[in-house]
Every structure is written in C-alpha cells, then in structure tokens.
Amino acid sequence: MVFVNDGVKEAGTFLARSLEQHIPQLYEKKYPRLWAEEGMYLPAVGDLEEGAREVIETTVNQVGEALISADGADDVPLVDVSMDEFPFKATCISAGIKYSIPELKAAMRANQDIKTTRLNGLGKALAERIHKLAVFGSSKHGMNGFFAHPRINLVNSSYDADGSGVTAQDHIDFISDNLIKVESDSNLTEGIETILVPAKLYNVWAKTILPSTNQNIIRHVLENFGTEAGGTLRQIKKVNECQSSYLEKYKAQASGTNKDRVVFMPFDPMAFERKYYPVNFLEPQLQGMSYTLVAYTGTSEVIDHYPGSALYVDIPKL
C-alpha cells in the first residue's frame, strides 16, 4: 500500500495523539508564603466589623505624680488620667471570577474541577492584596504597612554583613546592640521576639561559625539572647520583603536606596496588629451562559499600639 505525503502526515498525527496521556491533576505554580496575611509574624485579629472604615484606639495617659508631704499637709497632689483617640483606617477588598457553562461541562469531561481551581485563585488574589497592604501599606489610600510605618524608628547602619573584614563577633554585636536599643529606648518595657532578615543575610549568619563555641551566629544568638537565656527573642526568620528590591518596588524605600532591611519586632497584638473580617462570597450571578462570582473581605491598616517596640535597621544591600 502506498501513502501519499498528506496521508502519511495525517496518519502520523493520529498516531502521536493516540500515544499521548493527559494527567487529570492540575499543577499550580508555587508562590512565596503570605506570612503577613496569615498572621505568622504580625498578629491578625478577626474582630473587624463589616463596613467599618476606621478603627479607633483610645490611649490612657497618667498625669501628675505623688509627692512627699509633711504631716497634716492639705496640698495633696492630684493624679489624673487623660484619654486620646487615634483613628486607623480600614478598607474592603474584593475580587471575582467568571466561568461559562460550556467550560464547566468540558472540565467535567476532562475530570478537572475548574470551578474550585478558580475559587482557589480568587482566594489567593485576595490574600496577596491583603499581604501587600499589611507589609507595605498603600500611600494612595493613606494606610500604613508594617515595613513602611512612619512611627517605627529607622537606623541607617554601615554594617556590611558580607564585607571582607567582618568577623563573627561583628555579626553578634550588630544583633545584640539593636536588641538592647529597643529595650533601652522603651525603658525596658519592650522586648524583641522575632528578627526578620533577607535570605542572603540569614545564610551569612547560618554559615558563619563562632570559633569559641563551634556554633553558627543564629544558634549562638538564640542561646545567649533568647528565651533559653531568659530573654525575649524566639526566632530569626528570612522573608523576601526585607530585600532591597521589594522595599523599593513597593515604595518603602526611595528608588536607588540599595539597602536591605532587618526588622526587629515583637509578636504581640498589644503592640502591633491587623484587624480583619473573613472572606464572604456573594451568590453566583448568571448572565447569558456565564456565571460571575464575587468575594470580599476587609482589613485594617497595621495598628501600632506601641511603635517603640519595633525597629528597622537598613544595611548595605547584599
């Protein structure tokens, strides 16, 4: 039997298709963890009321002090309190998905749950927006983020973690000096529980061994300044947002600053928190042959009850 060229090509196409195997599982791209949205290092408290546009904090301040008085004195000093209110902004965040009836039918035949996949994508879009707002805030909406907060002290440091002459003791001094700075500046009322660092700095500390103890910098610091030694420090964690590229992209630093950021912080809703209410889904709306589904949630900006309990330290970019 003789095949003409077109017939051979067509036969080859059918043969190739018959040898294909489709994997029903849908594989999603892996994304960085949304630690701020999840409340990992920044407390998230789910008591925001739907529709709220402001969260009001009331601060109580003591006024006056006691004095030593002579017997029978009638000029006893009075102690009073003053109350100040501070508003913090809140906002609603929404997103939607669309899917058609033919799409659903085709996905069912392919043993794929396209509706659930798109719902997961919708949830992720909301979570990503909340995460960026919690970390970097929004100048457009006048909302402060945890890495771009005007009331948190900023130290511009010359500490060059990757410099040729830097010793293990230099790394330890950098960490301990800034832990002590927060305690000192707050009159020993605050303590650092978490240090957030860029990945490259974390790796430098992890690979640098202190000769006298045979421990790396991270292990040594946690043992000597952490809860194991009666201190407050619990963990040192690496996050993408400490990198210069992220800080400049999201306007936490001016373009061309070229500084990574180390964040010394507590984990205490009495110091910093973000309030939110859970995601709500509206009923799907059918228009023609397509459904539209909208979801929404709400969040406050980062609320700083005690801004002196945290510290930014900007260091030369690694």
Side-chain angles (χ1 to χ4, degrees):
M1 180 180 294
V2 178
F3 290 97
V4 296
N5 287 342
D6 288 344
V8 172
K9 290 179 181 178
E10 186 176 335
T13 300
F14 281 117
L15 178 62
R17 292 290 297 175
S18 67
L19 294 178
E20 289 178 348
Q21 177 181 346
H22 286 268
I23 302 174
Q25 174 69 42
L26 295 176
Y27 290 88
E28 298 182 6
K29 180 181 176 180
K30 291 186 177 181
Y31 295 91
R33 188 136 190 201
L34 304 176
W35 53 268
E37 187 274 337
E38 296 175 16
M40 286 178 63
Y41 310 129
L42 178 66
V45 182
D47 61 359
L48 182 66
E49 296 179 2
E50 262 192 64
R53 286 292 179 263
E54 279 190 341
V55 177
I56 306 297
E57 173 195 76
T58 302
T59 301
V60 179
N61 298 301
Q62 180 177 313
V63 180
E65 60 180 13
L67 298 176
I68 298 175
S69 300
D71 292 344
D74 58 4
D75 58 344
V76 176
L78 300 179
V79 176
D80 199 359
V81 294
S82 66
M83 294 188 181
D84 298 314
E85 290 189 347
F86 297 94
F88 295 92
K89 292 186 177 180
T91 190
C92 176
I93 297 173
S94 61
I97 59 172
K98 195 170 186 178
Y99 51 90
S100 69
I101 294 175
E103 278 183 311
L104 289 176
K105 297 292 185 182
M108 289 174 62
R109 288 193 298 270
N111 197 29
Q112 295 174 347
D113 190 349
I114 190 172
K115 182 179 177 181
T116 298
T117 300
R118 289 188 181 177
L119 282 173
N120 290 339
L122 173 58
K124 185 175 182 304
L126 293 171
E128 284 182 334
R129 188 67 189 88
I130 290 172
H131 179 77
K132 289 177 183 177
L133 186 61
V135 178
F136 297 111
S138 170
S139 57
K140 178 180 178 181
H141 298 93
M143 301 179 75
N144 293 319
F146 190 68
F147 277 24
H149 206 292
R151 297 216 298 163
I152 296 178
N153 290 330
L154 169 64
V155 173
N156 271 303
S157 173
S158 59
Y159 163 70
D160 186 0
D162 208 22
S164 58
V166 176
T167 66
Q169 190 60 48
D170 291 331
H171 298 306
I172 294 170
D173 289 345
F174 169 78
I175 300 169
S176 62
D177 288 350
N178 286 297
L179 290 174
I180 293 169
K181 177 176 174 55
V182 173
E183 292 182 345
S184 176
D185 289 351
S186 66
N187 294 320
L188 299 182
T189 62
E190 306 295 341
I192 296 300
E193 295 181 62
T194 299
I195 303 175
L196 300 181
V197 301
K200 288 184 179 179
L201 178 58
Y202 185 94
N203 291 339
V204 169
W205 290 351
K207 293 189 296 183
T208 302
I209 303 300
L210 194 66
S212 59
T213 64
N214 203 31
Q215 293 177 323
N216 67 22
I217 300 301
I218 295 171
R219 185 67 250 159
H220 178 81
V221 166
L222 290 174
E223 280 195 8
N224 290 272
F225 299 94
T227 54
E228 300 173 31
T232 58
L233 184 64
R234 293 190 299 109
Q235 55 187 353
I236 299 173
K237 296 292 183 180
K238 51 188 172 183
V239 298
N240 292 320
E241 291 79 5
C242 285
Q243 297 176 40
S244 169
S245 57
Y246 278 75
L247 295 165
E248 293 186 21
K249 177 180 179 180
Y250 294 108
K251 313 301 181 185
Q253 291 177 344
S255 179
T257 301
N258 291 324
K259 289 261 192 171
D260 290 333
R261 178 162 291 177
V262 180
V263 180
F264 294 79
M265 60 184 291
F267 183 81
D268 182 0
M270 293 300 291
F272 293 91
E273 65 174 322
R274 177 182 66 85
K275 293 184 178 295
Y276 72 96
Y277 59 80
V279 176
N280 292 285
F281 293 90
L282 301 181
E283 288 295 323
Q285 299 295 313
L286 179 61
Q287 295 179 320
M289 294 288 286
S290 296
Y291 284 97
T292 300
L293 186 150
V294 173
Y296 67 95
T297 183
T299 183
S300 72
E301 63 181 323
V302 170
I303 300 172
D304 57 315
H305 301 295
Y306 295 102
S309 61
L311 178 69
Y312 301 145
V313 182
D314 285 358
I315 63 173
K317 174 182 175 183
L318 291 174

